[in-house]
């Protein structure tokens, strides 16, 4: 940026803010509130030097004189582009995992290893066993009386702890009816 792009210009008319009218308006409102003595913080998107959008955690705070009057406003922005990119990637990944979890034609659950308390159950599990999601979530396999042979659960838990997973094991479970 050239000095002329920012000196003697209202802050909302600087290159950081002119790309988005809604953000300009938000900044103008924030300036009014901070000029009255408040502090503002919000996330904003700005065009970076390379032309790509970047995410910033923006702060605006007042500096007061000896009489307590607001004399200056101090803008501060922290680049959170990498964090936001990671959060978006994580959300996308979770969405894909969620789709797989719910659409698999196998019985799939997420439960605690300690007591078999259900955190989530997929559609196929609910359909075959006859429980609603609400009946299962937060309850244990023992409370739902699912295990025909309780030793099978004990052995599964031991194998998961020892090997990190179990595959190809037949078990006998009981449906709600």
């Amino acid at each position: 940026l050239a000095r002329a792009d920012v000196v003697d210009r209202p802050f909302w008319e600087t290159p950081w803010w002119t790309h988005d009218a809604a953000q300009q308006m938000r900044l103008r409102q924030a300036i009014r509130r901070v000029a009255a003595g408040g502090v503002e913080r919000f996330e904003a998107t700005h065009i970076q030097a390379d032309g790509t959008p970047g995410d910033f955690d923006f702060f605006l705070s007042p500096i007061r004189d000896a009489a307590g009057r607001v004399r200056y406003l101090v803008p501060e922005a922290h680049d959170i582009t990498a964090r936001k990119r990671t959060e978006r990637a994580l959300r996308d990944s979770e969405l894909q995992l969620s789709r797989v979890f719910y659409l698999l034609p196998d019985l799939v659950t997420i439960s605690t290893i300690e007591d078999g308390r259900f955190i989530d159950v997929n559609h196929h599990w609910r359909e075959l066993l006859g429980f609603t999601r609400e009946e299962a979530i937060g309850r244990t396999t023992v409370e739902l009386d699912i295990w025909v042979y309780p030793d099978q659960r004990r052995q599964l838990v031991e194998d998961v702890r020892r090997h990190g997973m179990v595959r190809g094991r037949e078990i006998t479970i009981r449906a709600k009816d």
Side-chain angles (χ1 to χ4, degrees):
L1 291 175
R3 183 175 167 82
D5 291 331
V6 295
V7 173
D8 292 328
R9 300 184 79 179
F11 190 46
W12 58 85
E13 290 180 9
T14 60
W16 301 291
W17 298 94
T18 56
H19 69 284
D20 185 329
Q23 284 192 138
Q24 269 186 315
M25 180 57 68
R26 185 174 191 180
L27 175 64
R28 290 177 80 147
Q29 292 168 348
I31 288 171
R32 279 194 289 279
R33 287 190 291 271
V34 174
V39 174
E40 290 286 320
R41 178 181 183 184
F42 57 90
E43 289 184 8
T45 302
H46 299 295
I47 303 304
Q48 300 178 105
D50 66 0
T52 62
D55 297 299
F56 295 85
D57 190 8
F58 182 75
F59 297 86
L60 190 60
S61 52
I63 294 195
R64 299 173 187 276
D65 62 17
R69 292 182 302 255
V70 174
R71 299 294 296 168
Y72 302 100
L73 303 182
V74 178
E76 180 181 346
H78 298 275
D79 188 346
I80 58 171
T81 305
R83 186 190 88 203
K84 296 299 272 186
R85 189 177 303 123
T86 300
E87 288 172 356
R88 284 188 289 271
L90 181 59
R91 272 193 308 277
D92 291 346
S93 176
E94 287 173 345
L95 181 59
Q96 288 174 349
L97 180 59
S98 177
R99 285 180 181 148
V100 168
F101 177 79
Y102 288 109
L103 297 177
L104 268 175
D106 299 320
L107 281 74
V108 182
T109 69
I110 300 172
S111 59
T112 61
I113 198 164
E114 297 81 27
D115 61 2
R117 188 169 307 279
F118 290 110
I119 296 167
D120 209 346
V121 294
N122 77 350
H123 173 74
H124 201 65
W125 184 93
R126 294 188 314 264
E127 190 175 89
L128 286 178
L129 295 187
F131 292 96
T132 65
R133 189 170 184 274
E134 292 73 24
E135 288 172 317
I137 304 303
R139 299 192 59 203
T140 68
T141 57
V142 171
E143 290 170 332
L144 295 180
D145 195 29
I146 288 174
W147 292 98
V148 174
Y149 306 109
D151 279 352
Q152 288 182 336
R153 181 183 189 284
R154 183 191 50 73
Q155 186 61 52
L156 280 172
V157 169
E158 281 180 29
D159 290 348
V160 167
R161 286 190 170 138
R162 188 177 305 119
H163 306 291
M165 68 165 69
V166 176
R167 288 189 180 189
R169 168 103 30 95
E170 286 189 25
I171 59 171
T172 306
I173 55 177
R174 181 179 294 114
K176 181 179 177 181
D177 63 0

